[in-house]
Amino acid sequence: MEKMVLGVGQCCMDYLALADGFPRENTKREAIELAVEGGGQVATALVSLARLGIGTRMIGIVADDRDGTEIIRRFQDEGVSTEFMVVRKGGLSQRSFIIVNRQNGTRTILWQKPTVGVLSAEDIKEDAFKGVDFLLVDGYMKDATLKALRIAKELSIPTMIDADRMYPGMEELLGFVDYIVGSEDFSCYIDLDPFRALKTLSVEYPDARAITITLGENGSITMYKDVLIEQPAYQVDDVVDTTGAGDVFHGGYIYGLLNGWHIKKTLEFASAFSALKCRSLSGRRGIPTLEETLKFMETGRFSP
C-alpha cells in the first residue's frame, strides 16, 4: 500500500529573479531569468515526496485569488491532494519575491502572509488523518499545528517539524514532535553555537526520536539515541539557487524514515536530494529523481 504523508503549514507563490550578483540599492538591471513557482516549506517538501512516489495531502490556506487558484492547481498537477485545503473569499494568498544571486546561489526572500488569516484549529479535520503514515508541520500557525500534532499523537502517527524560526508557542509544539529539524537560524534562538543548541534541545525534548540542525553548505548535525551524527553537505559544481533546499531536505528525510532506513543513510539521502535541487531556479524545478539521487550518493563529493 502507498505511504501517505500529511502536511500542515504555509503555501505560497514564489516570484523569482536570477541576477548576476545582488543588485545595488536604487539601481535597475536585467534579470538572467525570471520564474513563477509554487512555494512554502511544507508545500515543497510534499511535492518532493510526491515525485518520489509517496502519497501526499496538504492542509494550508489560500484566498480565492489568482495566486490561490494557481497554488492549488500546481499541487494537483504534482499529485498532492488538496481535499482539505482551506480557501477563503476575498483578500490575497501568500506570496514571496525572491532575488537569487547567480554568483553563489544564495537567495534573499521578501514575503507577504495571506490577508485572509491563518489556519485555525477548526480547519484541522480528523478525516484528513485517515490512512496517514507521517505528519509534517512548520509551526507557523500554532493553534492548527497543535491540534494536528495532538491528533497524530493519539493515532501513533510519527511527526516532524520544519523549524526555521522560533515562532510564538514553538516550545509547546516541540514537545509533541518525534523528529525536530531546525535551521541554523532557529538554533541561534537557543545558542549561537549549533552544537550547544543541539545538546540543549536534546535535554529539553528527551522524547524526540532525533533532533537535527541544518547548516546549509556545512551539512547538518543530528542527535540520535545520544549519538552525534555529523553529515557533510554534498558538493554540486553548478549551484544556481538554494531556494527550497531545506524543504527538499525534509522530504528526503521523511522518505528515508518511511522506508525504514538507518538514520545515517536517511541523512545522507536527504543531503544528496537537497543538494541536487540547487541546480535549477526555484524550489521545485530542480528536485531530482530517486535514481539520480541514489547514483549521486555513489559518485558525488562532499563539500570541504
Side-chain angles (χ1 to χ4, degrees), residues 6-18:
L6 174 64
V8 176
Q10 302 175 80
C11 49
C12 66
M13 287 302 298
D14 288 344
Y15 293 81
L16 304 103
L18 182 64

Side-chain angles (χ1 to χ4, degrees), residues 4-301:
M4 173 62 69
V5 177
L6 174 64
V8 176
Q10 302 175 80
C11 49
C12 66
M13 287 302 298
D14 288 344
Y15 293 81
L16 304 103
L18 182 64
D20 184 18
F22 192 82
R24 187 164 47 86
E25 186 177 355
N26 201 31
T27 61
K28 182 189 296 185
R29 67 164 59 184
E30 183 179 0
I32 299 171
E33 183 181 354
L34 298 174
V36 180
E37 185 59 87
Q41 297 160 237
V42 171
T44 296
L46 291 187
V47 168
S48 74
L49 283 162
R51 293 191 189 177
L52 293 173
I54 302 297
T56 51
R57 186 180 297 157
M58 181 72 190
I59 305 179
I61 185 167
V62 296
D64 61 346
D65 60 350
R66 182 181 63 181
D67 283 336
T69 300
E70 190 65 12
I71 288 168
I72 290 178
R73 184 190 70 79
R74 290 179 185 243
F75 274 142
Q76 293 171 345
D77 287 349
E78 295 283 358
V80 178
S81 171
T82 59
E83 178 184 358
F84 295 95
M85 285 286 295
V86 176
V87 181
R88 291 191 183 145
K89 294 182 178 181
L92 300 171
S93 299
Q94 184 167 321
R95 294 178 292 178
S96 295
F97 295 85
I98 304 172
I99 299 175
V100 180
N101 185 343
R102 182 64 180 86
Q103 294 180 5
N104 55 20
T106 58
R107 80 285 187 272
T108 302
I109 302 174
L110 298 171
W111 65 281
Q112 180 187 44
K113 61 185 178 182
T115 62
V116 290
V118 299
L119 287 175
S120 66
E122 290 70 31
D123 293 321
I124 305 300
K125 310 299 183 186
E126 292 195 21
D127 283 351
F129 291 78
K130 289 182 179 178
V132 168
D133 299 285
F134 206 100
L135 171 68
L136 173 64
V137 301
D138 62 21
Y140 177 68
M141 297 170 275
K142 185 202 169 187
D143 292 345
T145 303
L146 186 58
K147 182 176 179 181
L149 288 170
R150 283 174 168 161
I151 293 173
K153 191 174 187 66
E154 291 172 2
L155 297 174
S156 299
I157 297 172
T159 57
M160 177 182 289
I161 192 166
D162 175 353
D164 74 327
R165 297 286 189 277
M166 186 64 81
Y167 295 121
M170 181 69 83
E171 295 91 341
E172 181 180 3
L173 298 178
L174 295 179
F176 289 87
V177 177
D178 296 305
Y179 296 90
I180 299 172
V181 185
S183 68
E184 189 169 10
D185 285 347
F186 166 80
S187 73
C188 286
Y189 285 92
I190 301 162
D191 196 295
L192 293 179
D193 182 291
F195 289 90
R196 289 199 298 264
L198 182 64
K199 183 175 181 180
T200 298
L201 285 167
S202 299
V203 171
E204 292 183 355
Y205 302 100
D207 293 333
R209 301 185 193 181
I211 302 175
T212 299
I213 295 175
T214 57
L215 302 172
E217 62 183 12
N218 294 315
S220 65
I221 53 176
T222 296
M223 189 66 72
Y224 175 73
K225 294 183 177 179
D226 296 322
V227 175
L228 175 65
I229 302 171
E230 298 184 60
Q231 173 61 50
Y234 277 93
Q235 183 174 328
V236 177
D237 293 330
D238 191 19
V239 173
V240 175
D241 180 13
T242 58
T243 301
D247 311 333
V248 174
F249 179 91
H250 292 91
Y253 201 143
I254 293 171
Y255 184 81
L257 294 173
L258 289 175
N259 280 280
W261 294 349
H262 188 276
I263 190 69
K264 289 185 178 181
K265 180 179 178 180
T266 294
L267 292 166
E268 187 177 348
F269 177 82
S271 179
F273 195 45
S274 61
L276 288 174
K277 180 242 77 73
C278 298
R279 300 169 299 174
S280 299
L281 184 63
S282 89
R284 298 181 184 176
R285 289 185 182 180
I287 296 173
T289 64
L290 177 60
E291 293 72 21
E292 282 181 292
T293 308
L294 294 176
K295 182 177 181 180
F296 185 61
M297 289 170 67
E298 296 177 355
T299 61
R301 305 183 309 276

